[in-house]
Amino acid sequence: MPESEYNPPPLPQPFTNTPASQITPIYQGAEAHLYKTTFLSPPIPAALKIRPSKPYRHPILDRRLSRARILQEARCLAKLVKEGVAVPALLGLDWEGNGKDGGGSWLVMEWVEGCVVRVVLERWEGVIKARQGYMGGIEGEEEKVVRRLLRRIGGAVGGLHRAGVIHGDLTTSNLMLRPFSRIGDQKGNVDSGEEEEGGSSDMEGDIVLIDFGLASQSSQDEDRAVDLYVLERAFGSSHPRTEEFFEEVLSGYRESYKGAGSTLKRLEDVRMRGRKKSMIG
Ligand SMILES: Nc1ncnc2c1ncn2[C@@H]1O[C@H](COP(=O)(O)OP(=O)(O)O)[C@@H](O)[C@H]1O
Ligand SMILES: [Mg+2]
């Protein structure tokens, strides 16, 4: 969709008075709209996530659903921040969000610098494809950087599960890579613009988990294993060139908390069921 055609819905209170220059639409999905804005004074960058009300749903059901989902998301974020898991901090919310045209519920959270892992991996795949042609192999350094990234992803998911939260929608679009702070890094080369060949330096950073709209609380191996399985399938379909390194996600996961071993064992059952299902269906 060309940008000029994107007509974001009217903002709910209290954002109706926010000057357009201070609130930028960045994403429109089926369920949510995301804006970059600021919060407090002096302002800090923030992400505003709005779940617009659905005109086709009965208004009472609609309010109940959107309230339940935004509260669930907010609860998970608050709990995870407290547990030290890398997620954006929750800054505020309103589950009714009355606007002129029905509004919708919203929450404001800390803005995460960087970009989603999906984009990082697509860039990496693009570099390899361009250099080697479709059948080309992957060189040592390229393999190392992607392995490191995948291992950190496993660690992040393990941290989440250790805290007793199941994500419910683990894809590479719901993982962000926040670059390590460049200010005063070991080399002291603050923003020198130096990039390693193949862009490996832009694959370093902290993994931040986002989008807890389908999250729930559970410490069951089954639920954790399904979470991992969903992620594995997402890698397989969105990033086929990284599939052979998926074991790194599992190694990172294994090291991240005590019960990880039994979840990984359960993952084998979940995979088996998945294969059977795809053979029948
Ligand atoms: N806290 C944040 N900081 C920066 N960007 C964000 C943040 N939260 C979400 N985004 C961006 O907005 C997109 C959609 O947000 P998400 O919560 O995944 O919504 P949806 O439920 O529609 O998938 C993300 O893929 C990411 O690019
Ligand atoms: Mg998402």
Side-chain angles (χ1 to χ4, degrees):
M1 195 190 338
E3 227 168 89
S4 56
E5 280 176 33
Y6 174 49
N7 267 322
L11 292 165
Q13 293 284 3
F15 305 98
T16 43
N17 293 324
T18 311
S21 62
Q22 283 170 35
I23 186 156
T24 318
I26 56 152
Y27 169 90
Q28 179 190 24
E31 298 283 335
H33 296 257
L34 250 116
Y35 298 80
K36 182 173 185 182
T37 184
T38 57
F39 193 72
L40 301 176
S41 183
I44 59 163
L48 167 66
K49 183 170 183 173
I50 302 176
R51 289 184 183 282
S53 44
K54 305 262 179 184
Y56 55 82
R57 262 194 320 231
H58 187 282
I60 293 176
L61 175 67
D62 185 65
R63 272 174 66 183
R64 200 185 290 159
L65 274 178
S66 76
R67 176 192 147 121
R69 291 194 60 183
I70 211 95
L71 281 176
Q72 181 63 3
E73 186 160 8
R75 264 188 215 112
C76 287
L77 288 177
K79 173 174 174 142
L80 292 166
V81 167
K82 211 168 82 191
E83 299 273 341
V85 181
V87 299
L90 178 68
L91 302 172
L93 85 157
D94 182 351
W95 56 78
E96 311 248 87
N98 295 316
K100 273 196 262 52
D101 300 270
S105 50
W106 56 263
L107 62 79
V108 182
M109 61 192 138
E110 185 190 345
W111 179 258
V112 179
E113 295 299 337
C115 67
V116 293
V117 168
R118 180 176 51 77
V119 171
V120 175
L121 288 178
E122 280 168 1
R123 230 161 32 205
W124 178 84
E125 288 168 308
V127 168
I128 287 164
K129 225 163 169 171
R131 184 170 47 69
Q132 299 165 322
Y134 195 67
M135 297 304 287
I138 294 158
E139 283 185 355
E141 189 53 31
E142 288 161 349
E143 178 172 334
K144 261 193 236 153
V145 294
V146 83
R147 278 184 181 276
R148 270 205 300 272
L149 177 69
L150 265 55
R151 191 171 269 259
R152 282 200 303 274
I153 291 173
V157 175
L160 176 75
H161 286 178
R162 183 184 48 214
V165 175
I166 304 300
H167 187 282
D169 189 18
L170 277 180
T171 63
T172 54
S173 302
N174 289 333
L175 298 168
M176 293 189 70
L177 182 65
R178 177 172 55 199
F180 293 134
S181 168
R182 306 270 295 180
I183 301 158
D185 62 6
Q186 306 104 315
K187 292 183 214 145
N189 55 345
V190 178
D191 222 32
S192 63
E194 267 176 56
E195 295 266 302
E196 286 170 55
E197 196 55 42
S200 64
S201 61
D202 52 15
M203 289 177 75
E204 300 298 341
D206 290 316
I207 298 295
V208 181
L209 299 141
I210 59 164
D211 194 359
F212 290 85
L214 295 173
S216 53
Q217 305 202 25
S218 162
S219 305
Q220 304 267 316
D221 279 335
E222 172 70 17
D223 297 330
R224 292 170 168 169
V226 169
D227 229 14
L228 282 176
Y229 184 64
V230 168
L231 182 64
E232 186 172 63
R233 295 298 295 256
F235 266 91
S237 59
S238 311
H239 312 288
R241 277 166 186 268
T242 66
E243 213 181 353
E244 59 180 305
F245 308 124
F246 191 78
E247 66 196 32
E248 291 291 343
V249 174
L250 302 180
S251 311
Y253 185 84
R254 186 182 297 281
E255 290 163 6
S256 64
Y257 75 103
K258 243 178 92 199
S262 76
T263 297
L264 289 171
K265 207 144 178 46
R266 188 58 168 252
L267 175 61
E268 290 167 22
D269 301 342
V270 175
R271 278 190 190 129
M272 199 85 87
R273 294 204 303 262
R275 269 199 289 273
K276 270 196 204 133
K277 213 162 141 196
S278 67
M279 258 158 40
I280 298 165

